[in-house]
Amino acid sequence: MLVRRIARPLIAGTFLYGGIDTLRHPQSRVPGAAPIVEQLTEIADKQLPVQVSHDVEQWVKINAAAQVGAGSLFALGRFPRFSALVLATSLVPTTLAGHRFWEHTDPKERFGQTSNFLKNTSMLGGLLLAAVDTEGKPSVGWWARRSASAAAAAAEASYTKASKKAAKAQKKASKQVKKVGR
């Protein structure tokens, strides 16, 4: 559909620009990302059996690379549901790190950060819609239900056929026993 071909690159543009800029200048994002990375790595250290890197700049670069990669795929219409989900996932820490409006006391700064926070949450909503958009094609869930129904019908048909053959064989065996018994 034409709308998808226009909308996807428009949505992806923000992620491509922001991701490339962050990869070029990650240091500018490190201070804002530090509290989020600290919280996430603390939780990961408790939950995961492996040691997670605490290098904030590395996490900023990973997030930026995910945005560039998924943004490129999304803009090109390749794996659109998956790439939209990756972009949505990367947008959450980006928003929480970059637009902490609740920490600002200056009304102008607070308004700007609130506007950007709301813009990002709006983009998140659009990405979530894109992540579930099947483009009119059946979803994986539909295919799974259809396959399960077909398998159940085939099993029922096989059981019925086997039951008929067994009944026929039993009847034949009964006749043989009667013949032998005479």
Side-chain angles (χ1 to χ4, degrees), residues 18 27 50 58 61 121 169 180:
Q27 304 82 12
V50 294
Q58 181 182 12
K61 289 178 181 178
T121 58
V180 172

Side-chain angles (χ1 to χ4, degrees), residues 1-168:
M1 177 182 237
L2 183 61
V3 171
R4 286 182 185 93
R5 288 186 181 178
I6 295 170
R8 286 181 183 146
L10 290 174
I11 293 171
T14 298
F15 294 97
L16 291 169
Y17 177 79
I20 291 169
D21 184 56
T22 301
L23 286 172
R24 286 183 178 165
H25 313 288
Q27 304 82 12
S28 64
R29 306 291 201 283
V30 170
I36 303 300
V37 170
E38 288 171 11
Q39 289 177 350
L40 291 176
T41 54
E42 183 180 312
I43 292 168
D45 285 343
K46 291 177 185 175
Q47 301 291 327
L48 299 175
V50 294
Q51 183 68 25
V52 178
S53 172
H54 290 260
D55 182 12
V56 178
E57 186 172 324
Q58 181 182 12
W59 283 105
V60 167
K61 289 178 181 178
I62 290 169
N63 190 52
Q67 289 182 347
V68 171
S72 298
L73 289 173
F74 192 67
L76 295 171
R78 303 286 184 232
F79 308 107
R81 295 176 70 195
F82 176 73
S83 57
L85 188 60
V86 170
L87 290 173
T89 303
S90 77
L91 187 59
V92 172
T94 300
T95 302
L96 293 175
H99 305 297
R100 301 169 70 85
F101 66 89
W102 54 90
E103 293 179 350
H104 296 279
T105 54
D106 178 36
K108 270 189 167 181
E109 184 66 27
R110 186 180 182 102
F111 176 78
Q113 292 300 328
T114 303
S115 295
N116 284 320
F117 184 89
L118 293 173
K119 173 197 56 99
N120 282 10
T121 58
S122 298
M123 288 175 49
L124 178 63
L127 288 167
L128 292 175
L129 284 173
V132 298
D133 178 24
T134 61
E135 300 181 29
K137 299 172 189 166
S139 68
V140 172
W142 182 87
W143 281 110
R145 287 188 299 276
R146 182 172 183 252
S147 297
S149 294
E156 182 69 31
S158 294
Y159 175 76
T160 303
K161 187 176 178 181
S163 295
K164 286 180 182 179
K165 282 186 176 184
K168 190 175 179 180

